[in-house]
Amino acid sequence: MSISKIPNKHLYLAIVFLGFYFIYRLIDQAKLMWIFPLDYFNDYSAHMSMLFFLKECGFHALCPYWYGGYTTFLAYNPGWVFFSYPLYIITSNVQITTYLSLLLIFLLSFLALFFLSRNEKFGLTKTIAFFLFLFANPITIGNFIRLGRMSEMFAWVVFLFLTLIIFWYRKHKLDKKFLFFIPVYTVLMFSHPTVTILSHFLILALLLIKTYKERIFIITNMLVGLLASSFWWVPYIKSFSNNTILGVVQSRRLLSFDKSWIFTNIAAIIIPLALLVIFWFYWKSNKTTEKILFFAPILILNLLVLFRIVPFLPVLKHIYPYSYLFFFIFFSLFFLFKSNLNVYPNLLKKILITSLIIVPLLSVIISVIHTPMFIIPSQLEEDTLAMFPLIEGKYFFLSSIYPTSYGHAYNSYGPIFYKLETAGGFGGSEVSPEYISSLLKYKTYFDEMKCSDFENLLREFEIKNTIGYDEDCGKLRECGLEEITNKGRVCLYRIPQ
């Protein structure tokens, strides 16, 4: 049977649609370099804090800025911070560092896909299309460029280089050059647990098709990588009993069809189904047992997600839905570009070619509608920032109802720019459930105007300053706290001496 791959001409419009939108989003996100992100759709501020904490406090060191003092990097994977730290030393600016790191990660991702595509004989056009389909879709734009999931994004780059190694040795006998697996695997182990878990399905794929001696060599290299990265993952696992890392079942969102998760769940049906269909024709292009055996772990995982079984499985239940989707998009693209179009029925072939134009266009439209651009701080945020120079001692940020004012983001801003300490932090996974539960009692006390309990709680956590909004300012006054200043809808109060 003659081999007919997707003609490059059918990818040109997709490259134009996705390419221009990808560049547009990068240009818009460049505002990050001079505007600190303060809105709710924002993980950037947390990651920038980690850069600052590494420099100011050190690694696995007591750091006073969050939670009244906590040990750094016990619950946070340090791969991206280690990667970006040299840039931080050069720039001395967490915002510039973070944006430059974002660009560098995309560049490294393209290089990994370029070498992978060269080995698979895709050609430059398909390489560019591969990159844009993978990194300019609504899921990736939303999670990486807009939300700023920097540590996971860095881990996916490591995954791509790991894939480059594994796909090469899928077709070749293991030799001494396979030792390059060790540093890549080592970095992967402390880059992001979610990506690390998913990557092991690909490592398992290689183990399934290799000889007994080669499996021993692979496992030996893995053990070396585990040992080299144990400085982080051993304390990380030990910390589970003292934090809330395992408290949230991330994949449970796959069972939710409310407004906030409807697009994710629709995608979590379409993408796994598309992967199965495309794999079928990829396999039909050249039917071999090796293909079935090698890709079996990925296909099984795909079915577990499609039928919503992962929320009930140990380990897998803690993986974000977005991470599964990125993983499946990668393999779907690989199968698509490796497939022989001649094995597709004529109707399906026409649908496929048409979708290469329609899907990118719809992706851009969905992303424009669903994913906000960089949010410029309003007067509310400017007034809130004006409170920080007046804070003395540990502060606490009362919850805000405004979508442009994210309390956790201010908990990053305070330490970075004023070296202020707070009883709060960002996600809360770094400390014990008891600490978070005790701290959150403030809301009950405050809402029910149990002023004595509220003040005692502040004193228990050694909080001296509180930032509030609107009617909360009046309630703080009624509870006997002293006003330091107010501006617009924002106020700063302190506990009486």
Side-chain angles (χ1 to χ4, degrees):
M1 180 187 297
S2 61
I3 297 177
S4 173
K5 299 297 177 65
I6 295 174
N8 289 340
K9 64 181 181 180
H10 295 303
L11 297 170
Y12 293 152
L13 282 176
I15 290 173
V16 171
F17 291 149
L18 295 175
F20 274 105
Y21 185 62
F22 178 73
I23 294 170
Y24 176 69
R25 293 302 302 230
L26 283 178
I27 293 172
D28 176 70
Q29 201 62 36
K31 296 168 186 170
L32 176 72
M33 291 191 287
W34 60 87
I35 301 174
F36 194 85
L38 296 171
D39 62 285
Y40 276 82
F41 202 68
N42 163 30
D43 278 1
Y44 280 110
S45 52
H47 297 301
M48 288 191 284
S49 294
M50 295 302 121
L51 274 172
F52 173 78
F53 292 165
L54 180 62
K55 185 177 181 180
E56 290 293 314
C57 305
F59 182 78
H60 281 172
L62 184 65
C63 199
Y65 297 111
W66 278 2
Y67 308 111
Y70 85 112
T71 302
T72 58
F73 300 99
L74 275 181
Y76 178 91
N77 27 279
W80 174 78
V81 174
F82 290 166
F83 170 75
S84 303
Y85 193 69
L87 281 174
Y88 184 36
I89 296 300
I90 295 170
T91 66
S92 297
N93 185 300
V94 291
Q95 293 168 248
I96 293 174
T97 296
T98 301
Y99 185 73
L100 292 179
S101 173
L102 178 73
L103 298 181
L104 189 55
I105 288 172
F106 280 129
L107 176 61
L108 290 173
S109 299
F110 181 81
L111 287 175
L113 289 174
F114 174 81
F115 289 116
L116 176 64
S117 299
R118 189 178 66 174
N119 291 341
E120 301 294 337
K121 299 180 173 58
F122 286 160
L124 183 59
T125 299
K126 288 185 176 65
T127 302
I128 296 172
F130 200 139
F131 174 82
L132 290 173
F133 274 114
L134 189 61
F135 286 103
N137 64 70
I139 295 170
T140 311
I141 290 287
N143 279 275
F144 294 160
I145 295 181
R146 181 60 184 88
L147 182 61
R149 297 177 64 88
M150 299 305 296
S151 66
E152 183 179 353
M153 186 179 176
F154 173 73
W156 283 120
V157 178
V158 182
F159 163 80
L160 291 177
F161 280 98
L162 181 74
T163 303
L164 179 63
I165 295 172
I166 290 177
F167 274 33
W168 172 263
Y169 283 103
R170 173 193 168 196
K171 300 175 183 177
H172 298 82
K173 291 193 66 174
L174 267 60
D175 54 24
K176 292 181 180 180
K177 291 181 181 178
F178 187 75
L179 292 173
F180 283 111
F181 173 92
I182 295 175
V184 175
Y185 183 76
T186 300
V187 174
L188 177 70
M189 287 301 301
F190 57 77
S191 292
H192 199 280
T194 289
V195 182
T196 301
I197 293 166
L198 292 175
S199 298
H200 278 81
F201 283 86
L202 189 58
I203 296 171
L204 175 60
L206 187 64
L207 287 168
L208 288 175
I209 64 169
K210 288 301 179 181
T211 64
Y212 177 77
K213 288 185 178 180
E214 288 177 310
R215 289 172 185 168
I216 296 297
F217 188 38
I218 294 170
I219 293 172
T220 300
N221 284 0
M222 290 176 67
L223 291 174
V224 173
L226 284 171
L227 182 63
S229 58
S230 61
F231 73 93
W232 179 75
W233 63 261
V234 170
Y236 172 73
I237 293 174
K238 287 182 177 179
S239 73
F240 287 171
S241 60
N242 297 313
N243 57 43
T244 58
I245 290 175
L246 300 180
V248 180
V249 179
Q250 301 290 354
S251 65
R252 191 169 291 161
R253 295 163 181 173
L254 290 170
L255 304 174
S256 172
F257 280 87
D258 63 24
K259 184 179 178 180
S260 59
W261 292 104
I262 185 67
F263 287 111
T264 300
N265 271 287
I266 291 173
I269 294 172
I270 294 174
I271 292 172
L273 282 175
L275 185 145
L276 292 174
V277 172
I278 297 170
F279 175 79
W280 170 255
F281 289 106
Y282 164 68
W283 179 72
K284 282 190 69 177
S285 300
N286 180 21
K287 297 180 181 179
T288 64
T289 303
E290 184 269 348
K291 279 184 181 179
I292 296 292
L293 192 60
F294 182 79
F295 290 110
I298 287 85
L299 295 174
I300 292 171
L301 180 63
N302 185 71
L303 290 171
L304 293 176
V305 172
L306 177 61
F307 292 106
R308 303 304 194 263
I309 299 173
V310 288
F312 307 99
L313 298 178
V315 181
L316 295 180
K317 67 182 180 181
H318 295 292
I319 295 178
Y320 303 101
Y322 298 122
S323 303
Y324 283 120
L325 298 182
F326 185 92
F327 190 67
F328 298 148
I329 289 171
F330 171 82
F331 285 101
S332 296
L333 291 169
F334 177 81
F335 298 148
L336 178 63
F337 291 144
K338 290 290 288 184
S339 297
N340 181 355
L341 284 183
N342 289 333
V343 303
Y344 284 78
N346 288 332
L347 178 59
L348 190 56
K349 188 187 303 184
K350 290 178 181 178
I351 293 173
L352 174 61
I353 296 301
T354 304
S355 67
L356 291 174
I357 299 172
I358 294 177
V359 170
L361 181 59
L362 287 177
S363 294
V364 172
I365 293 172
I366 290 171
S367 183
V368 168
I369 295 172
H370 189 62
T371 305
M373 307 300 288
F374 189 94
I375 295 179
I376 305 296
S378 67
Q379 187 61 48
L380 176 69
E381 287 72 60
E382 296 295 337
D383 292 344
T384 305
L385 295 180
M387 303 291 114
F388 282 87
L390 304 176
I391 294 175
E392 295 179 358
K394 190 181 298 181
Y395 73 96
F396 185 65
F397 194 95
L398 293 180
S399 59
S400 166
I401 62 172
Y402 299 107
T404 53
S405 281
Y406 188 28
H408 292 335
Y410 289 107
N411 288 342
S412 296
Y413 181 89
I416 292 172
F417 292 98
Y418 293 96
K419 295 189 177 181
L420 293 172
E421 300 174 15
T422 175
F426 203 88
S429 60
E430 299 92 341
V431 291
S432 68
E434 291 76 21
Y435 181 96
I436 298 298
S437 177
S438 296
L439 184 62
L440 289 179
K441 287 178 182 177
Y442 89 88
K443 185 159 182 61
T444 301
Y445 296 153
F446 191 65
D447 290 346
E448 298 178 4
M449 291 299 291
K450 296 180 178 179
C451 294
S452 177
D453 291 332
F454 178 67
E455 183 176 332
N456 288 337
L457 183 70
L458 296 182
R459 293 186 185 281
E460 177 186 342
F461 285 93
E462 300 179 343
I463 297 168
K464 296 183 178 180
N465 299 266
T466 301
I467 298 174
Y469 288 101
D470 297 329
E471 64 272 9
D472 287 348
C473 297
K475 293 169 72 175
L476 287 169
R477 188 184 305 111
E478 288 181 38
C479 279
L481 274 70
E482 298 176 355
E483 181 181 296
I484 299 175
T485 187
N486 68 80
K487 190 174 184 182
R489 290 172 286 177
V490 192
C491 59
L492 177 64
Y493 277 75
R494 67 183 169 208
I495 296 180
Q497 299 299 321

